[in-house]
PDB file of all heavy atoms in Angstrom:
ATOM      1  N   ILE E 243      22.907  -0.670  -6.282  1.00 97.00           N
ATOM      2  CA  ILE E 243      23.309   0.632  -5.684  1.00 97.00           C
ATOM      3  C   ILE E 243      23.496   0.511  -4.189  1.00 97.00           C
ATOM      4  O   ILE E 243      22.882   1.255  -3.449  1.00 97.00           O
ATOM      5  CB  ILE E 243      22.420   1.769  -6.146  1.00 97.00           C
ATOM      6  CG1 ILE E 243      21.032   1.557  -5.820  1.00 97.00           C
ATOM      7  CG2 ILE E 243      22.601   2.194  -7.615  1.00 97.00           C
ATOM      8  CD1 ILE E 243      20.006   2.725  -5.966  1.00 97.00           C
ATOM      9  N   PRO E 244      24.364  -0.511  -3.781  1.00 97.00           N
ATOM     10  CA  PRO E 244      24.388  -0.815  -2.381  1.00 97.00           C
ATOM     11  C   PRO E 244      24.853   0.442  -1.567  1.00 97.00           C
ATOM     12  O   PRO E 244      25.675   1.229  -2.147  1.00 97.00           O
ATOM     13  CB  PRO E 244      25.443  -2.010  -2.272  1.00 97.00           C
ATOM     14  CG  PRO E 244      26.175  -1.842  -3.506  1.00 97.00           C
ATOM     15  CD  PRO E 244      25.225  -1.359  -4.547  1.00 97.00           C
ATOM     16  N   GLY E 245      24.381   0.569  -0.365  1.00 96.00           N
ATOM     17  CA  GLY E 245      24.813   1.581   0.516  1.00 96.00           C
ATOM     18  C   GLY E 245      24.259   3.052   0.204  1.00 96.00           C
ATOM     19  O   GLY E 245      24.598   4.026   0.796  1.00 96.00           O
ATOM     20  N   SER E 246      23.336   3.049  -0.800  1.00 96.00           N
ATOM     21  CA  SER E 246      22.777   4.383  -1.206  1.00 96.00           C
ATOM     22  C   SER E 246      21.689   4.937  -0.291  1.00 96.00           C
ATOM     23  O   SER E 246      21.230   6.115  -0.386  1.00 96.00           O
ATOM     24  CB  SER E 246      22.287   4.343  -2.531  1.00 96.00           C
ATOM     25  OG  SER E 246      21.249   3.404  -2.738  1.00 96.00           O
ATOM     26  N   VAL E 247      21.199   4.127   0.654  1.00 98.00           N
ATOM     27  CA  VAL E 247      20.045   4.538   1.520  1.00 98.00           C
ATOM     28  C   VAL E 247      20.614   4.932   2.897  1.00 98.00           C
ATOM     29  O   VAL E 247      21.047   4.007   3.646  1.00 98.00           O
ATOM     30  CB  VAL E 247      18.922   3.526   1.629  1.00 98.00           C
ATOM     31  CG1 VAL E 247      17.881   4.033   2.579  1.00 98.00           C
ATOM     32  CG2 VAL E 247      18.316   3.292   0.291  1.00 98.00           C
ATOM     33  N   ALA E 248      20.574   6.129   3.344  1.00 98.00           N
ATOM     34  CA  ALA E 248      21.010   6.615   4.679  1.00 98.00           C
ATOM     35  C   ALA E 248      19.854   6.319   5.632  1.00 98.00           C
ATOM     36  O   ALA E 248      18.735   6.453   5.288  1.00 98.00           O
ATOM     37  CB  ALA E 248      21.423   7.981   4.694  1.00 98.00           C
ATOM     38  N   ARG E 249      20.261   5.934   6.876  1.00 98.00           N
ATOM     39  CA  ARG E 249      19.141   5.544   7.890  1.00 98.00           C
ATOM     40  C   ARG E 249      18.223   6.682   8.060  1.00 98.00           C
ATOM     41  O   ARG E 249      16.960   6.474   8.225  1.00 98.00           O
ATOM     42  CB  ARG E 249      19.899   5.134   9.162  1.00 98.00           C
ATOM     43  CG  ARG E 249      18.957   4.937  10.388  1.00 98.00           C
ATOM     44  CD  ARG E 249      18.024   3.785  10.213  1.00 98.00           C
ATOM     45  NE  ARG E 249      17.001   3.637  11.230  1.00 98.00           N
ATOM     46  CZ  ARG E 249      15.928   4.382  11.380  1.00 98.00           C
ATOM     47  NH1 ARG E 249      15.650   5.313  10.463  1.00 98.00           N
ATOM     48  NH2 ARG E 249      15.128   4.209  12.402  1.00 98.00           N
ATOM     49  N   GLU E 250      18.742   7.907   8.047  1.00 98.00           N
ATOM     50  CA  GLU E 250      17.807   9.032   8.347  1.00 98.00           C
ATOM     51  C   GLU E 250      16.859   9.428   7.205  1.00 98.00           C
ATOM     52  O   GLU E 250      15.960  10.163   7.381  1.00 98.00           O
ATOM     53  CB  GLU E 250      18.608  10.349   8.776  1.00 98.00           C
ATOM     54  CG  GLU E 250      19.606  10.857   7.754  1.00 98.00           C
ATOM     55  CD  GLU E 250      21.036  10.277   7.766  1.00 98.00           C
ATOM     56  OE1 GLU E 250      21.158   9.152   8.353  1.00 98.00           O
ATOM     57  OE2 GLU E 250      21.907  10.856   7.240  1.00 98.00           O
ATOM     58  N   LYS E 251      16.935   8.743   6.061  1.00 98.00           N
ATOM     59  CA  LYS E 251      16.068   8.959   5.017  1.00 98.00           C
ATOM     60  C   LYS E 251      14.716   8.143   5.311  1.00 98.00           C
ATOM     61  O   LYS E 251      13.688   8.262   4.500  1.00 98.00           O
ATOM     62  CB  LYS E 251      16.585   8.517   3.645  1.00 98.00           C
ATOM     63  CG  LYS E 251      17.817   9.228   3.241  1.00 98.00           C
ATOM     64  CD  LYS E 251      17.393  10.579   2.783  1.00 98.00           C
ATOM     65  CE  LYS E 251      18.691  11.404   2.365  1.00 98.00           C
ATOM     66  NZ  LYS E 251      18.473  12.589   1.732  1.00 98.00           N
ATOM     67  N   VAL E 252      14.811   7.283   6.279  1.00 98.00           N
ATOM     68  CA  VAL E 252      13.573   6.416   6.592  1.00 98.00           C
ATOM     69  C   VAL E 252      12.828   7.019   7.806  1.00 98.00           C
ATOM     70  O   VAL E 252      13.421   6.934   8.901  1.00 98.00           O
ATOM     71  CB  VAL E 252      13.981   4.973   6.831  1.00 98.00           C
ATOM     72  CG1 VAL E 252      12.844   4.173   7.300  1.00 98.00           C
ATOM     73  CG2 VAL E 252      14.653   4.321   5.584  1.00 98.00           C
ATOM     74  N   VAL E 253      11.731   7.607   7.594  1.00 98.00           N
ATOM     75  CA  VAL E 253      11.024   8.270   8.566  1.00 98.00           C
ATOM     76  C   VAL E 253       9.539   7.880   8.623  1.00 98.00           C
ATOM     77  O   VAL E 253       8.838   7.881   7.670  1.00 98.00           O
ATOM     78  CB  VAL E 253      10.942   9.834   8.445  1.00 98.00           C
ATOM     79  CG1 VAL E 253      10.270  10.508   9.630  1.00 98.00           C
ATOM     80  CG2 VAL E 253      12.422  10.296   8.270  1.00 98.00           C
ATOM     81  N   ALA E 254       9.147   7.297   9.762  1.00 98.00           N
ATOM     82  CA  ALA E 254       7.713   6.913   9.985  1.00 98.00           C
ATOM     83  C   ALA E 254       7.078   7.635  11.196  1.00 98.00           C
ATOM     84  O   ALA E 254       7.832   7.884  12.196  1.00 98.00           O
ATOM     85  CB  ALA E 254       7.647   5.370  10.213  1.00 98.00           C
TER      86      ALA E 254
END
Side-chain angles (χ1 to χ4, degrees):
I243 50 169
S246 59
V247 178
R249 174 62 186 82
E250 61 271 19
K251 298 286 178 174
V252 174
V253 182

